[in-house]
C-alpha cells in the first residue's frame, strides 16, 4: 500500500493537518509529544479499520477543540 496523502481532522492532537508522502521510505521526525505516532496510527487505521493503540474509537477523536 502506498499512501500519497493523509488528511487528519480532529484526530488525536491534530485539529487539521495534511501530510504528503513520497514513494519509498518516509521518515517522520519531531519532538516528543508532537504527534508522530498519531500519524502512524492513522495510516494503520486504513487497512485494519481499528487502532493499533486503543480499542476505544472515542480516544482518537480530538474533543478539546472546535
Amino acid at each position: 500500500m502506498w499512501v500519497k496523502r493523509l488528511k487528519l481532522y480532529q484526530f488525536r492532537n491534530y485539529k487539521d493537518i495534511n501530510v504528503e508522502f513520497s514513494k519509498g521510505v518516509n521518515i517522520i521526525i519531531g519532538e516528543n509529544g508532537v504527534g508522530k505516532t498519531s500519524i502512524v496510527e492513522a495510516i494503520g487505521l486504513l487497512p485494519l479499520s481499528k487502532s493499533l493503540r486503543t480499542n476505544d474509537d472515542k480516544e482518537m477523536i480530538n474533543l478539546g477543540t472546535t
Side-chain angles (χ1 to χ4, degrees), residues 5-40:
R5 198 169 318 139
L6 180 68
K7 178 176 175 66
L8 301 177
Y9 181 74
Q10 302 292 16
F11 184 82
R12 295 280 184 188
N13 57 328
Y14 291 109
K15 183 177 179 184
D16 190 15
I17 186 173
N18 289 300
V19 182
E20 294 204 20
F21 299 98
S22 25
K23 278 192 173 183
V25 176
N26 288 264
I27 300 172
I28 302 169
I29 59 173
E31 298 293 323
N32 288 341
V34 296
K36 299 177 299 290
T37 304
S38 295
I39 292 172
V40 174

